Amino acid sequence: MAEPEHTPDGHFVIIKGRRWRATDPEIPPEPAARLRSLLMAARRDVGAALRAQDADAERDARARVHLAKTALGERGTPWWEQTADQRRQRWQDGLDALGDRDG
C-alpha cells in the first residue's frame, strides 16, 4: 500500500482530497502497529454492532476507536505540541486503556 500524501509540515495526510491528522511519527514501530491493529478491530466491532443493531456494543466499540486514535496522536492535543515524554505517555496510556499489556 502506498504511503498517503503528507502536508509539507508532516502534520496531516491527504486522503481523497481531505486532510486528516497524521499518526505521531515518534511512536515506535511495535506499539504503533499494535495500536493500528486495535483500531481496526474496534472499527470492525462498530460495523458488527451496527449490523446487530446493538447500541451498547456500538458505543463501546466507538469508545475504543477514539482511544486508539487518541493514542496514535490522531485526536486530542496535537502531537507536535507535546513533549517527547507527553507523547510517550499518550500512546502508553492508550495501550493500557485498550487492555493491551504486550504493547
Side-chain angles (χ1 to χ4, degrees):
M1 184 172 185
E3 181 74 18
E5 175 188 355
H6 282 74
T7 56
D9 59 14
H11 297 171
F12 299 91
V13 294
I14 310 297
I15 300 172
K16 295 182 181 179
R18 189 160 177 194
R19 189 177 79 154
W20 300 90
R21 192 184 307 174
T23 296
D24 183 347
E26 294 300 315
I27 301 173
E30 222 173 286
R34 188 66 192 135
L35 285 165
R36 283 191 298 274
S37 176
L38 291 164
L39 171 61
M40 296 315 293
R43 285 179 168 166
R44 285 189 298 274
D45 290 347
V46 168
L50 288 169
R51 287 187 296 279
Q53 298 181 347
D54 184 337
D56 291 336
E58 180 188 354
R59 191 172 17 263
D60 174 68
R62 287 188 186 280
R64 289 185 290 121
V65 167
H66 180 74
L67 283 169
K69 290 187 73 63
T70 300
L72 286 164
E74 297 174 11
R75 291 187 181 162
T77 303
W79 49 261
W80 57 89
E81 294 178 3
Q82 294 179 313
T83 66
D85 286 340
Q86 290 171 322
R87 292 164 82 172
R88 185 179 319 99
Q89 192 64 53
R90 184 197 65 241
W91 62 259
Q92 288 175 337
D93 288 349
L95 285 170
D96 288 345
L98 291 162
D100 186 81
R101 303 296 179 227
D102 297 328

